[in-house]
């Protein structure tokens, strides 16, 4: 729009040069009116505010109209807040379908070969949103930063998975804080948005981790099931098979995956398989994060 406004301005300016004086004044007035209209359309169409919720989180972009009813803030689900048990997804309203699954991808964008971007492209083509949880150590180089930015720009959520993937339980509060804060800062620097999801490496955490997440306003999550790091499933067909048929698959399940080649090879058919079973892959932007009440 801005570009066309410029073209219009140039066109009008060149036209005005040939116009008599009184017409010129008229013409300039028309010109200004038109520009104002163009400017206001521009503001409405493409400023970021229109695609943000009140809390600054982006609006869900997948088509959820057939399964979820959103509240006035644009949320339809919440995540169970006790990751010791699980991190399942539940609807805020009875009218929303509980038969949803959440897709999450850890350790992104892995070195040397991350498949995060390919996975994101396949998901986007199927109208599926997901959370990519990054390790800050992969964001110190241009390649990792670029992949992360591209995935974010495609509309996916970027979560925090620590800087160096340590066992947080073996660390002091300050060490944990460093590990977590560093990655949040990097994500914010790259995307302009603070991550709102945190997953501890190996699913290991303690009360300090909780408190740090509270302070940084992130929800700590674990998962319900995931297979793509186990020896038997480092291959697309086996991974697809177990992902679609296992005892942990149920409404609200939080599925852990990684940006690996076999996951990339299975992901598209996995979406189809889940949909055939009647599941919706929930847009994480429909999931409300908890209120982080700050003591004052
Ligand atoms: Zn991990």
């Amino acid at each position: 729009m801005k570009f066309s406004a410029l073209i219009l301005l140039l066109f009008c300016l060149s036209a005005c040069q040939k116009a008599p004086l009184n017409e010129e004044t008229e013409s300039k007035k028309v010109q200004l009116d038109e520009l104002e209209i163009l400017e206001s359309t521009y503001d409405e169409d493409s400023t970021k505010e229109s695609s943000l919720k009140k809390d600054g989180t982006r609006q869900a972009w997948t088509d959820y109209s057939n399964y979820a009813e959103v509240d006035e803030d644009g949320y339809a689900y919440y995540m169970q807040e006790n990751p010791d048990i699980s991190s399942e997804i539940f609807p805020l309203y009875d009218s929303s379908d509980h038969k949803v699954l959440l897709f999450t991808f850890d350790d992104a964008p892995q070195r040397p070969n991350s498949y995060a971007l390919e996975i994101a492209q396949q998901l986007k083509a199927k109208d599926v949103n997901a959370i990519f949880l990054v390790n800050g150590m992969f964001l110190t180089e241009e390649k990792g930063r670029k992949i992360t930015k591209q995935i974010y720009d495609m509309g996916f959520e970027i979560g925090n998975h620590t800087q160096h993937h340590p066992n947080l339980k073996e660390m002091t509060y300050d060490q944990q804080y460093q590990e977590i804060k560093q990655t949040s800062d990097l994500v914010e620097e790259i995307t302009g948005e603070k991550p709102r999801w945190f997953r501890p490496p190996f699913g290991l955490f303690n009360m300090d981790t909780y408190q740090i997440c509270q302070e940084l306003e992130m929800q700590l999550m674990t998962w319900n099931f995931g297979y793509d790091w186990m020896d038997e499933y480092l291959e697309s067909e086996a991974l697809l098979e177990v992902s679609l048929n296992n005892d942990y698959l149920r409404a609200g399940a939080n599925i852990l995956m990684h940006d690996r080649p076999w996951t990339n090879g299975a992901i598209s058919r996995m979406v189809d398989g889940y949909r055939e079973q009647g599941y919706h892959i929930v847009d994480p932007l429909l999931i409300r994060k908890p209120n982080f009440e700050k003591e004052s």
Side-chain angles (χ1 to χ4, degrees):
M1 270 302 183
K2 261 201 170 153
F3 183 69
S4 34
L6 182 68
I7 296 288
L8 179 74
L9 177 69
L10 289 173
F11 173 77
C12 288
L13 283 177
S14 68
C16 292
Q17 275 175 357
K18 290 166 205 149
L21 199 62
N22 56 341
E23 272 181 43
E24 188 182 348
T25 323
E26 236 353 80
S27 162
K28 264 190 183 151
K29 192 181 169 300
V30 172
Q31 206 185 98
L32 275 175
D33 288 348
E34 273 170 338
L35 276 178
E36 271 159 28
I37 292 164
L38 282 172
E39 278 302 319
S40 64
T41 322
Y42 171 74
D43 287 348
E44 264 173 35
D45 280 357
S46 42
T47 48
K48 280 199 169 157
E49 280 92 66
S50 59
S51 61
L52 296 180
K53 301 193 184 87
K54 273 188 238 157
D55 65 3
T57 305
R58 293 181 297 173
Q59 300 280 3
W61 51 264
T62 59
D63 180 14
Y64 55 83
S65 55
N66 65 336
Y67 72 91
E69 185 189 338
V70 296
D71 66 9
E72 52 177 24
D73 298 326
Y75 292 108
Y77 295 90
Y78 66 96
M79 188 184 287
Q80 184 168 2
E81 282 187 56
N82 186 350
D84 277 327
I85 304 168
S86 83
S87 298
E88 279 179 62
I89 311 305
F90 294 95
L92 293 171
Y93 301 112
D94 290 344
S95 48
S96 291
D97 200 336
H98 184 196
K99 212 172 172 193
V100 294
L101 302 169
L102 175 66
F103 276 11
T104 66
F105 299 88
D106 281 11
D107 303 4
Q110 212 153 183
R111 269 195 212 123
N113 295 314
S114 167
Y115 284 81
L117 196 55
E118 286 84 345
I119 289 170
Q121 283 160 346
Q122 292 196 66
L123 292 177
K124 184 93 186 176
K126 293 216 168 268
D127 194 38
V128 170
N129 197 355
I131 308 173
F132 288 82
L133 296 115
V134 297
N135 288 120
M137 63 181 169
F138 300 132
L139 305 181
T140 51
E141 277 177 15
E142 197 47 35
K143 190 181 171 192
R145 297 168 72 92
K146 246 182 162 168
I147 293 172
T148 305
K149 176 79 166 82
Q150 270 174 283
I151 293 173
Y152 175 82
D153 286 346
M154 287 167 79
F156 294 93
E157 282 217 76
I158 306 295
N160 181 334
H161 193 44
T162 72
Q163 190 70 15
H164 302 101
H165 209 279
N167 175 355
L168 293 172
K169 280 177 94 171
E170 291 171 349
M171 299 177 104
T172 64
Y173 182 96
D174 288 345
Q175 287 169 330
Q176 286 198 41
Y177 189 86
Q178 276 292 100
E179 269 294 326
I180 298 169
K181 179 74 163 65
Q182 240 183 314
T183 299
S184 276
D185 287 349
L186 277 167
V187 170
E188 191 180 3
E189 192 187 305
I190 293 166
T191 67
E193 196 181 331
K194 285 190 176 94
R196 57 188 197 117
W197 307 107
F198 176 77
R199 181 178 275 141
F202 319 105
L204 299 174
F205 59 94
N206 57 24
M207 280 315 287
D208 288 346
T209 327
Y210 259 124
Q211 215 179 315
I212 294 164
C213 284
Q214 189 80 12
E215 221 179 295
L216 299 177
E217 302 195 347
M218 289 188 288
Q219 181 157 1
L220 194 163
M221 67 161 126
T222 51
W223 62 91
N224 287 90
F225 70 86
Y227 295 95
D228 70 352
W229 71 95
M230 297 176 186
D231 287 343
E232 316 88 285
Y233 305 112
L234 306 183
E235 185 270 308
S236 296
E237 299 308 316
L239 176 64
L240 179 66
E241 173 64 27
V242 72
S243 301
L244 296 177
N245 305 288
N246 68 72
D247 292 344
Y248 306 97
L249 174 58
R250 60 168 180 268
N254 181 332
I255 307 178
L256 165 61
M257 291 177 271
H258 298 78
D259 60 344
R260 315 300 293 271
W262 42 89
T263 311
N264 182 42
I267 198 71
S268 202
R269 286 176 293 157
M270 210 185 280
V271 173
D272 295 341
Y274 286 138
R275 283 178 170 165
E276 273 163 32
Q277 294 183 35
Y279 289 103
H280 302 284
I281 315 300
V282 69
D283 189 326
L285 292 167
L286 291 174
I287 306 172
R288 178 189 284 284
K289 81 175 181 184
N291 278 330
F292 299 101
E293 305 264 330
K294 291 255 158 102
E295 286 168 38
S296 51

